[in-house]
Amino acid sequence: MEEDYCATELIYGDGKFNADGLQRFVKEVKLAECGVSYGVVAIVGPQSSGKSALQNHLFTTKFKEMNANSGRSQTTKGIWIAKCVGIEPCTIAMDLEGTDGRDRGQDDTFKKQSTLFALAVSDIVLINIKGYSNYAPIINGPESQLTRQEMFKRSLDGQDKPFLETFFQVVMRFGIPRKTTLLFVIHDSSKTPFQHWHPGSRKFILNIWNGVPKLHAYKSTRFSDFFSEEVVVLSSYEEKEKFKEEVTELRQRLSHSISPGGFAGDRRGLVPASGFSFSAQQIWKVIKENKDLDLPAHKVMVATVRCEEIANQIFNQLIYDEGWLALKEAVQTGPVQGFGKRLSSILGTYLSKYDIEAIYFDGGARNAKRQLLESKALDFVYPAYTNMLGHVRSKALEDFKVRLDQSLNKGRGFATYVRICTHSSTLEFDKGCADAAVIQANWDASRVREKLQRDIDAHASSVCSAKLSELNVNYEVKQLSASLTGPVKTLLETGGKDSWASIRKLLNRETEVAISEFSTVVADFELDEATIAEMLQHLRDFSRNVVEKKAREEATKIMIHMKDRFSTVFNYDSDSMLRVWTGKEDIRSITKDARSASMKLLSVMAAIRLDEKPDHIEKVLFSSLMDGAVTVSSSQDREIEASVDPLASSNWEEVSSKDTLITPVQCKSLWEEFKTETEFSVTEAILAQEAYKQSNNWLPPPWATMAIVIHGFNQFMHLSK
């Protein structure tokens, strides 16, 4: 089907830019999809010179043409655009209002503005010139009276020379850096051969160029620095067949004009098709505001704006990408296998989209916006990455806990197992980090790795503390307490002369055994020497405390122990047989022995003697309580007694207060109580002896008994006869 795109007014006659219309036009012709493979052809020339008609014939456009029957008047107002039909690649035709401005009067502002706009956005500018047949006989005659240059000059002097002068002045004013192809199209009805037109036209154009005042920066600028110049002569519209043939030939030349070797093969300052709409609008804005038209800066500005728009569109697409949303949801609940590869692929897809859409824009602006897009995208997905690292860290930590627990069940070697398990878990974490790594990012997982190490150290420390605590319990409660408590109690209850020496020996032996075994076990933890020394000292202190605690406990029951000791010695003989009080026993002596045994027990339990320091507790007790003191009755004598009584004190001379279990004054009080409570046993024994004696008083004396026995024997013998 033949393409048929109606013309769109780009710039109204009042100079207003039709942005909405251009957007619709760009969308309809799918210009944004063309990249840099598109061209713009503008046509300028005097009013009513047939510009619109020429473009309609060349490009199959439908610009409004002048109706000659209605008189010669302005047809095109402002600037119109249409897509060229039958021209490849996509080419936009631009039809400008007449440059002689007859309908605008003396105001040539819009003429200059529209000319400058055409130069700024077009690859090819067609300059429409109507030739004159008046000079044909002169040129074609055998002897030419006018040079070809003069002929072209005269053809232009009427209407087109002022236009060209203005055209070149605009170029010099703004120094447009892009190289534009000027295609002079001469409409000739004189049948003058092309070779007669071209040399004269080129020389005439150069003369106009050289005559235009130039800024200092462009003094030495050549015409070819700004323009490529072509001259085409077409027959008049009246010669329809020939005109159509020539137009067809020109259309073929304009096809692929932007390719190397084409009309506009030397392109500069190109704006990609997707930025054409914004670029054209901004160029017109600059021109209207009478600012200097800096096309390189404009190119960068267009690239910056368009690349930012593209980047924003790409980023919005990424936000709602189904693959990303699924990955984001999955990583919130747990680790995702291949996380980094999947996320890298998603990011790569959208960054590639950006590269494709922005490829033709200025490299500096394009790369800058790509970096921003990449940075923004990475910031957006970073929380998901941190979630993934969190899962990797948690898994590595849990695996460390399980491995360590399983290893410790195998036996000793705590520090070694910690190192092995730490190494394994760290390797697993590093592997997980590698799996989570995103190609586009250079994220550092060291802080998470440090967090993992801190967590591992904390757990190892916790387990170490628990194990050491368990060891302490085993050696303190199960070993030292068990090995010391019973024997110490027995030795204290014995109340022998060497009780404390035996206790000290027992304490040292059991403590050293425990320390030796504990040192061997604790070596597996590889603790520092100071810590180990502290723990061993703790064991020593604990074992001593066990003895001291037991001694204090037994000291609180001293009265019971003393009475038990008294009862044992008093009521049982040396063969542990229960005494029978027959009167033969020396109760006084037995009582003294029993009390002496109880006194020894009191002296043993009066103080803790683990430091092997000599004391006189037993001697003082015996001399003060057992040997008896002189009884004094007067109050004065009692005061003297108190002042010299060694038991009238709360401290033993050789014993510190912390090692004192029963103070001297307490011993005296206890002894008095003890004697009172044991007096009954002594009295009972004495009464038993007396009762025993009385029960045996009814028997005759021994001699009488013997006499009776003898007499009875004699009587028995007598009767038996």
Side-chain angles (χ1 to χ4, degrees):
M1 177 182 285
E2 182 183 5
E3 296 178 280
D4 184 13
Y5 296 106
C6 297
T8 298
E9 190 168 11
L10 179 63
I11 299 175
Y12 297 112
D14 59 3
K16 182 179 178 182
F17 194 93
N18 184 11
D20 293 338
L22 178 58
Q23 287 284 60
R24 288 192 297 272
F25 174 81
V26 167
K27 185 176 181 180
E28 288 173 358
V29 302
K30 299 180 180 179
L31 180 63
E33 301 174 7
C34 296
V36 293
S37 184
Y38 78 103
V40 179
V41 179
I43 188 165
V44 297
Q47 180 178 309
S48 304
S49 60
K51 301 187 298 301
S52 301
L54 176 60
Q55 289 201 101
N56 289 340
H57 282 87
L58 271 176
F59 306 127
T60 320
T61 53
K62 293 186 178 181
F63 292 119
K64 184 179 179 181
E65 299 181 21
M66 181 189 68
N67 187 350
N69 296 327
S70 301
R72 306 183 69 84
S73 61
Q74 185 180 36
T75 304
T76 302
K77 293 184 179 181
I79 300 176
W80 292 69
I81 57 172
K83 181 181 178 182
C84 301
V85 179
I87 301 293
E88 294 294 336
C90 179
T91 302
I92 305 302
M94 187 178 298
D95 192 15
L96 275 69
E97 180 179 314
T99 54
D100 52 359
R102 291 193 297 267
D103 288 354
R104 289 186 179 269
Q106 298 298 319
D107 185 9
D108 63 350
T109 301
F110 186 81
K111 173 177 66 176
K112 292 181 178 180
Q113 291 175 341
S114 60
T115 300
L116 180 57
F117 181 78
L119 282 170
V121 302
S122 302
D123 300 294
I124 302 173
V125 176
L126 276 66
I127 300 175
N128 201 41
I129 299 174
K130 185 176 177 63
Y132 293 90
S133 60
N134 299 344
Y135 303 108
I138 301 174
I139 294 176
N140 295 333
E143 295 185 6
S144 176
Q145 298 177 11
L146 295 174
T147 64
R148 298 181 182 90
Q149 178 186 351
E150 185 65 21
M151 177 194 70
F152 189 72
K153 175 179 179 298
R154 291 188 181 185
S155 297
L156 294 175
D157 274 344
Q159 295 176 334
D160 296 314
K161 181 181 178 181
F163 154 68
L164 288 177
E165 290 176 345
T166 299
F167 190 89
F168 293 150
Q169 286 172 6
V170 168
V171 173
M172 286 295 93
R173 168 67 178 84
F174 291 96
I176 297 175
R178 65 181 295 159
K179 192 167 185 178
T180 307
T181 298
L182 300 182
L183 181 58
F184 292 91
V185 180
I186 301 173
H187 299 271
D188 178 37
S189 59
S190 64
K191 298 181 175 54
T192 303
F194 171 74
Q195 61 269 24
H196 293 311
W197 282 104
H198 190 261
S201 63
R202 181 185 294 274
K203 191 171 183 179
F204 180 73
I205 291 169
L206 291 177
N207 286 339
I208 295 176
W209 170 262
N210 293 330
V212 172
K214 298 178 179 64
L215 297 175
H216 179 74
Y218 298 108
K219 283 292 185 182
S220 58
T221 302
R222 298 172 300 176
F223 179 82
S224 59
D225 293 333
F226 283 99
F227 302 107
S228 296
E229 171 252 343
E230 290 281 347
V231 177
V232 174
V233 180
L234 297 178
S235 300
S236 65
Y237 294 124
E238 285 76 10
E239 300 181 58
K240 293 183 179 180
E241 294 301 323
K242 188 169 183 58
F243 176 76
K244 287 182 179 180
E245 291 178 6
E246 292 168 350
V247 165
T248 301
E249 182 181 349
L250 179 58
R251 181 167 57 248
Q252 291 175 350
R253 292 186 64 191
L254 288 172
S255 186
H256 300 288
S257 59
I258 62 173
S259 302
F263 267 128
D266 187 9
R267 308 173 84 194
R268 302 175 190 171
L270 180 65
V271 173
S274 62
F276 175 78
S277 177
F278 177 76
S279 175
Q281 188 172 354
Q282 292 301 312
I283 288 176
W284 182 249
K285 180 180 179 182
V286 171
I287 293 172
K288 287 286 290 180
E289 293 175 356
N290 199 25
K291 297 178 180 179
D292 289 342
L293 184 61
D294 185 355
L295 287 187
H298 171 80
K299 179 183 177 183
V300 173
M301 183 270 292
V302 171
T304 300
V305 173
R306 278 296 300 138
C307 289
E308 184 172 355
E309 290 177 351
I310 293 171
N312 289 337
Q313 292 170 0
I314 296 297
F315 181 73
N316 289 333
Q317 292 173 14
L318 168 63
I319 291 176
Y320 298 104
D321 180 83
E322 292 183 359
W324 154 249
L325 293 176
L327 182 62
K328 177 184 177 183
E329 182 178 357
V331 81
Q332 286 176 344
T333 57
V336 178
Q337 188 69 27
F339 174 87
K341 184 177 181 181
R342 290 172 61 180
L343 185 53
S344 297
S345 176
I346 293 170
L347 291 173
T349 297
Y350 286 98
L351 290 175
S352 296
K353 283 185 178 181
Y354 172 87
D355 292 336
I356 293 172
E357 294 189 30
I359 188 172
Y360 299 114
F361 287 99
D362 176 78
R366 179 181 70 245
N367 293 335
K369 293 302 178 182
R370 190 190 194 278
Q371 291 177 3
L372 289 176
L373 170 62
E374 186 172 349
S375 177
K376 188 177 180 181
L378 291 175
D379 288 343
F380 176 69
V381 301
Y382 185 73
Y385 173 76
T386 58
N387 283 343
M388 182 62 191
L389 285 193
H391 295 313
V392 173
R393 181 190 62 80
S394 297
K395 185 177 185 302
L397 179 60
E398 288 304 313
D399 287 347
F400 169 80
K401 293 178 180 179
V402 172
R403 289 193 186 102
L404 182 60
D405 186 56
Q406 293 174 346
S407 299
L408 293 178
N409 290 333
K410 297 176 182 177
R412 288 164 39 187
F414 179 83
T416 301
Y417 288 140
V418 168
R419 283 194 296 272
I420 294 172
C421 295
T422 298
H423 181 69
S424 298
S425 294
T426 302
L427 287 179
E428 181 183 347
F429 175 79
D430 292 339
K431 183 179 178 182
C433 286
D435 183 68
V438 176
I439 295 175
Q440 295 82 0
N442 189 26
W443 289 327
D444 185 7
S446 61
R447 296 180 68 178
V448 182
R449 198 176 193 274
E450 291 170 1
K451 176 67 166 60
L452 171 63
Q453 188 61 55
R454 289 196 299 271
D455 292 341
I456 287 176
D457 291 343
H459 180 73
S461 177
S462 175
V463 173
C464 179
S465 297
K467 291 294 181 181
L468 291 175
S469 178
E470 184 180 340
L471 283 177
N472 285 330
V473 170
N474 287 335
Y475 281 91
E476 290 176 358
V477 178
K478 295 183 179 179
Q479 185 164 330
L480 285 173
S481 292
S483 63
L484 291 173
T485 302
V488 167
K489 179 180 179 182
T490 301
L491 290 170
L492 288 172
E493 289 177 347
T494 301
K497 181 178 180 180
D498 298 327
S499 290
W500 278 106
S502 299
I503 290 174
R504 286 194 296 270
K505 185 177 180 180
L506 172 69
L507 173 62
N508 291 335
R509 183 181 68 249
E510 295 299 328
T511 300
E512 290 308 313
V513 169
I515 284 177
S516 177
E517 294 178 358
F518 185 84
S519 297
T520 302
V521 175
V522 84
D524 292 337
F525 292 84
E526 297 182 6
L527 303 174
D528 58 90
E529 292 183 3
T531 301
I532 294 176
E534 182 180 351
M535 296 177 72
L536 296 180
Q537 185 59 45
H538 178 77
L539 275 181
R540 291 188 178 94
D541 294 341
F542 179 83
S543 60
R544 184 184 179 100
N545 288 335
V546 168
V547 174
E548 292 181 353
K549 181 180 179 182
K550 192 60 184 175
R552 295 181 189 281
E553 180 184 339
E554 296 304 317
T556 61
K557 299 182 286 185
I558 185 60
M559 182 60 71
I560 297 173
H561 292 313
M562 289 171 64
K563 289 164 62 176
D564 288 344
R565 176 59 54 84
F566 177 86
S567 178
T568 299
V569 175
F570 187 79
N571 293 315
Y572 292 88
D573 60 19
S574 59
D575 295 326
S576 299
M577 298 297 292
L578 184 65
R579 295 181 189 277
V580 177
W581 304 105
T582 63
K584 296 178 181 180
E585 299 83 7
D586 188 351
I587 293 179
R588 183 181 182 86
S589 177
I590 294 173
T591 301
K592 185 177 180 179
D593 290 342
R595 287 179 176 175
S596 178
S598 297
M599 180 65 75
K600 287 181 180 179
L601 187 60
L602 177 60
S603 67
V604 168
M605 292 194 183
I608 297 172
R609 299 172 177 86
L610 294 178
D611 295 328
E612 218 168 337
K613 294 179 180 180
D615 63 73
H616 300 88
I617 295 176
E618 183 177 350
K619 182 178 180 180
V620 170
L621 288 175
F622 271 88
S623 64
S624 301
L625 302 176
M626 285 294 295
D627 296 343
V630 180
T631 304
V632 225
S633 56
S634 68
S635 60
Q636 181 179 1
D637 291 337
R638 284 196 297 271
E639 290 177 3
I640 295 173
E641 180 187 3
S643 64
V644 297
D645 185 0
L647 298 181
S649 173
S650 59
N651 295 296
W652 299 106
E653 289 184 2
E654 303 88 355
V655 181
S656 65
S657 58
K658 69 180 184 65
D659 289 334
T660 299
L661 299 178
I662 307 172
T663 65
V665 70
Q666 288 174 334
C667 286
K668 185 174 183 179
S669 176
L670 284 168
W671 187 253
E672 294 297 330
E673 182 182 352
F674 167 75
K675 286 197 301 181
T676 301
E677 293 191 11
T678 58
E679 192 65 35
F680 177 78
S681 296
V682 175
T683 302
E684 191 177 45
I686 294 173
L687 291 174
Q689 279 188 334
E690 292 295 330
Y692 186 85
K693 290 177 180 180
Q694 290 178 5
S695 65
N696 290 295
N697 284 340
W698 60 271
L699 293 175
W703 61 265
T705 303
M706 182 61 67
I708 293 172
V709 169
I710 294 173
H711 178 73
F713 178 77
N714 291 332
Q715 288 294 323
F716 175 76
M717 291 301 293
H718 176 75
L719 292 173
S720 63
K721 288 180 179 181

